[in-house]
């Protein structure tokens, strides 16, 4: 079975802190994604990557950056966390376009 | 107006009921339609996938697409407490080259009461 592992289940950070969210997949997928999930807004794509060192902006990239130095690892970086970035963050990977495999999510609270 | 509208619920039904979950959309270019299921404190997982109009059945689940009405449905027969989850619809156009073009609904929270 595909496994997508997110490093933290819950995180609490202060405004202005730099935050790293890590994601690792074990199925050699080329494509990896970062979404945030907010009540009433569904899943919104922040960034995705289709290859090592390649990245593309999603629908809401502002305030975020990403890093993909190895195929299995995709990191989301909040350069200076703000309270409006409090959310559930979901990492996903796929080889086929429609079947995304998601991690269990990181609930981030920015105080 | 959102591209994809989904009634957030919550929806509570007794065990054994037939459940109907729905999404409407505005983009006529959407051709691929999916339903994801998300259990509490978990990430979503793909449940059903259909292309263009028609029905697709998988066990107790049936996905239905009506492109003329821009309306998709997921039916759950003989619902079980284990079906309690949030159900998200997702869709994309035929010219979209990757899953980055998936547009998700906001999800419907379903509870099946024993």
């Amino acid at each position: 079975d595909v496994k997508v592992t997110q490093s933290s289940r819950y995180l609490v950070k202060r405004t202005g802190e730099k935050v790293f969210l890590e994601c690792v997949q074990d199925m050699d997928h080329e494509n990896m994604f970062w979404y945030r999930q907010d009540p009433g807004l569904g899943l919104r794509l922040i960034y995705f990557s289709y290859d090592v060192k390649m990245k593309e902006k999603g629908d809401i990239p502002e305030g975020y950056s990403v890093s993909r130095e190895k195929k299995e690892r995709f990191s989301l970086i909040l350069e200076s966390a703000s309270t409006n970035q409090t959310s559930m963050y979901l990492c996903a990977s796929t080889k086929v376009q429609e079947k995304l495999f998601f991690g269990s999510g990181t609930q981030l609270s920015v105080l | 107006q959102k591209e994809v509208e989904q009634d957030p619920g919550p929806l509570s039904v007794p065990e054994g009921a037939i459940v109907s979950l729905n999404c409407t959309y505005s983009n006529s270019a959407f051709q691929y339609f999916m339903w994801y299921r998300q259990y509490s404190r978990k990430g979503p997982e793909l449940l059903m996938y259909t292309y263009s109009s028609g029905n697709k059945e998988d066990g107790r689940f049936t996905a239905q697409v009506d492109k003329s009405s821009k309306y998709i449905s997921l039916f759950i027969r003989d619902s079980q407490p284990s079906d309690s989850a949030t159900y998200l619809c997702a869709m994309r156009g035929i010219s979209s080259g990757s899953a980055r073009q998936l547009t998700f609904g906001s999800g419907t929270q379903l509870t099946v009461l024993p």
Side-chain angles (χ1 to χ4, degrees):
Chain A
D1 277 353
V2 174
K3 193 163 186 183
V4 179
T5 303
Q6 294 185 230
S7 54
S8 304
R9 186 72 186 92
Y10 299 97
L11 272 181
V12 180
K13 297 293 182 180
R14 296 270 180 208
T15 302
E17 278 193 78
K18 190 169 187 176
V19 181
F20 294 86
L21 303 182
E22 305 286 344
C23 176
V24 177
Q25 50 96 2
D26 65 359
M27 281 301 289
D28 202 37
H29 287 165
E30 288 80 14
N31 304 294
M32 296 188 74
F33 306 80
W34 276 106
Y35 290 88
R36 62 178 283 177
Q37 184 174 29
D38 300 287
L41 297 177
L43 272 70
R44 293 180 291 168
L45 182 63
I46 304 171
Y47 267 98
F48 85 104
S49 169
Y50 53 89
D51 202 351
V52 175
K53 296 191 187 295
M54 306 302 286
K55 61 185 179 185
E56 281 198 30
K57 294 179 180 179
D59 300 317
I60 51 164
E62 297 77 20
Y64 303 95
S65 62
V66 291
S67 172
R68 192 160 181 208
E69 296 296 318
K70 293 184 178 181
K71 191 174 186 179
E72 67 272 17
R73 187 179 297 270
F74 192 35
S75 302
L76 180 70
I77 303 151
L78 287 66
E79 295 290 341
S80 177
S82 63
T83 54
N84 62 14
Q85 292 178 311
T86 291
S87 186
M88 170 67 78
Y89 289 88
L90 288 161
C91 174
S93 73
T94 188
K95 192 178 283 286
V96 177
Q97 292 173 8
E98 279 66 45
K99 189 166 185 177
L100 293 173
F101 292 88
F102 284 89
S104 293
T106 296
Q107 179 63 53
L108 172 67
S109 297
V110 182
L111 306 177
Chain B
Q1 182 192 1
K2 291 181 184 176
E3 268 196 306
V4 178
E5 298 277 0
Q6 186 174 5
D7 187 337
L11 180 62
S12 285
V13 300
E15 183 175 353
I18 296 174
V19 177
S20 172
L21 305 169
N22 312 295
C23 287
T24 59
Y25 62 94
S26 57
N27 189 342
S28 58
F30 287 147
Q31 295 279 348
Y32 296 88
F33 304 93
M34 290 132 269
W35 287 95
Y36 280 79
R37 178 176 60 194
Q38 184 176 19
Y39 290 116
S40 180
R41 293 186 293 278
K42 295 288 187 184
E45 57 179 342
L46 183 66
L47 187 61
M48 299 284 284
Y49 163 64
T50 54
Y51 169 67
S52 194
S53 286
N55 292 0
K56 184 174 184 178
E57 191 173 317
D58 183 2
R60 295 184 295 109
F61 298 88
T62 300
Q64 200 170 77
V65 175
D66 181 350
K67 288 187 66 187
S68 62
S69 302
K70 297 191 180 68
Y71 190 86
I72 69 170
S73 301
L74 178 70
F75 297 96
I76 307 174
R77 290 184 301 281
D78 187 25
S79 56
Q80 302 295 309
S82 59
D83 295 327
S84 298
T86 296
Y87 291 80
L88 301 112
C89 62
M91 49 197 79
R92 72 168 179 91
I94 195 166
S95 62
S96 304
S98 72
R100 81 174 294 272
Q101 301 295 340
L102 281 180
T103 301
F104 283 87
S106 56
T108 299
Q109 185 180 341
L110 171 68
T111 301
V112 181
L113 303 169

